[in-house]
Amino acid sequence: MPSTTPVAAGDRRHQLRDYLRTRRARLTPEDVGMAPGGRRRTPGLRREEVAVLAGVGVSWYTWLEQGRDINVSAEVLDSISRALRLNGPERSHLYILSGLNPPRGHEPGTATVTPELRNLIDGWMPRPAMLRDRYWNLLAVNDAARTVFGYGDTDHNCLISFFTNAMYRAMYVHWAAVAPEVVAAFRADAAEYLGDPGFDRVVEDLGAVSPEFTELWARHDVGEHVRVLKAIRHPEAGGMVFDKSTVTVADHPDWRLDLYSPKPGTGTEERMAWLMGASARP
């Protein structure tokens, strides 16, 4: 969260002044569909031209670019971003310098999993790996995750599978003890996107088929993702324990990549190798 101390605020305003000036200087009137307007003493757009393009007052924009201590809204910053042709990272930087939390990255459902990311997930083989979005929807799952954890073609959401996939539930050691933590973590994630109907849909869909989830959701418990170990008892391979590492995808901050590694000294690597070999045999 941007700092609000006097020194930090003054430094932000100083950087904001230079940032807006340099973004304005790199554009010409022709770039934004405006008439050239005669000779210019300095390159780029004039302040009044940016104000017109953004739909804000010239004096107000001048004060903003001068780094004065004025209130700004996300809507106005978005208008200025469009006027200055800012890309995603540049827009986020404008928010930060203006003292606001930057907007979320990609809107849900607008991005696809790149081949490079899929190669990473498949390259984690023979260890399990999966990619999920903000709603815990499964975007990509490698063959090891399907074989070891019992994910099938109908599994599309981690939370829903946790409560409704019978094979997964039967394998998960201490499932009943872990369930409250899982629901509390999902509620914490949902709280970061208040008003996002995608979370409501997951809750409604799962609540319609799982009284256990409904009871836990009604507690309103909130918690962090604290589980770094995953212990299962596979019906064919036996007990396995995995270290779990969760990585945020840099260009999709609401995506999480879950990578599982056999815990040393538990025999998991040998059992997993046998299981993956058995699944590959006809």
Side-chain angles (χ1 to χ4, degrees):
M1 181 177 295
S3 175
T4 56
T5 64
V7 174
D11 184 58
R12 274 196 298 101
R13 289 195 293 270
H14 178 80
Q15 293 189 43
L16 177 63
R17 180 190 66 193
D18 293 340
Y19 185 64
L20 288 173
R21 179 178 52 80
T22 57
R23 298 311 91 184
R24 177 167 57 84
R26 70 180 181 176
L27 294 174
T28 66
E30 292 88 342
D31 291 334
V32 296
M34 301 180 77
R39 294 192 58 177
R40 294 168 182 259
R41 290 179 298 176
T42 57
L45 296 176
R46 298 187 176 104
R47 286 174 176 170
E48 55 267 28
E49 290 170 335
V50 176
V52 169
L53 290 169
V56 299
V58 176
S59 296
W60 187 92
Y61 179 78
T62 300
W63 294 338
L64 179 68
E65 192 173 301
Q66 289 175 342
R68 297 195 187 185
D69 187 11
I70 60 176
N71 294 324
V72 295
S73 67
E75 291 76 15
V76 170
L77 291 182
D78 285 343
S79 296
I80 294 173
S81 297
R82 288 190 293 269
L84 294 175
R85 304 296 194 266
L86 303 186
N87 61 27
E90 290 173 331
R91 174 175 169 241
S92 295
H93 190 59
L94 175 61
Y95 267 71
I96 293 172
L97 294 181
S98 301
L100 298 182
N101 288 323
R104 300 289 180 178
H106 298 270
E107 289 301 312
T110 62
T112 58
V113 180
T114 63
E116 293 79 9
L117 197 49
R118 288 190 180 276
N119 288 338
L120 173 61
I121 295 169
D122 291 336
W124 196 249
M125 291 282 292
R127 296 161 295 178
M130 63 187 70
L131 178 68
R132 53 187 172 86
D133 65 11
R134 68 174 68 168
Y135 313 117
W136 298 18
N137 290 325
L138 292 169
L139 303 178
V141 181
N142 69 7
D143 289 340
R146 296 184 186 279
T147 301
V148 175
F149 297 145
Y151 286 119
D153 293 337
T154 60
D155 291 293
H156 65 277
N157 180 280
C158 294
L159 183 66
I160 294 176
S161 294
F162 183 87
F163 281 90
T164 63
N165 183 320
M167 180 179 178
Y168 183 88
R169 286 187 55 159
M171 288 194 300
Y172 206 124
V173 177
H174 306 307
W175 182 94
V178 174
E181 298 178 6
V182 171
V183 175
F186 186 77
R187 183 177 285 280
D189 283 0
E192 293 187 17
Y193 301 92
L194 286 176
D196 189 330
F199 288 96
D200 295 334
R201 284 192 290 269
V202 174
V203 172
E204 291 172 4
D205 290 347
L206 185 52
V209 296
S210 175
E212 294 162 308
F213 169 76
T214 300
E215 188 274 327
L216 291 172
W217 187 252
R219 297 181 185 179
H220 288 267
D221 291 338
V222 180
E224 298 179 351
H225 295 263
V226 295
R227 289 279 169 173
V228 294
L229 286 179
K230 188 180 186 105
I232 66 170
R233 185 167 299 280
H234 195 277
E236 299 176 28
M240 290 185 279
V241 183
F242 294 89
D243 291 314
K244 175 185 175 183
S245 299
T246 299
V247 180
T248 299
V249 180
D251 54 349
H252 294 276
D254 58 343
W255 287 7
R256 300 291 183 268
L257 179 61
D258 293 328
L259 303 173
Y260 296 87
S261 301
K263 187 169 184 60
T266 63
T268 298
E269 187 166 7
E270 294 78 12
R271 296 187 185 99
M272 186 180 63
W274 176 88
L275 179 63
M276 294 305 298
S279 67
R281 292 191 288 271

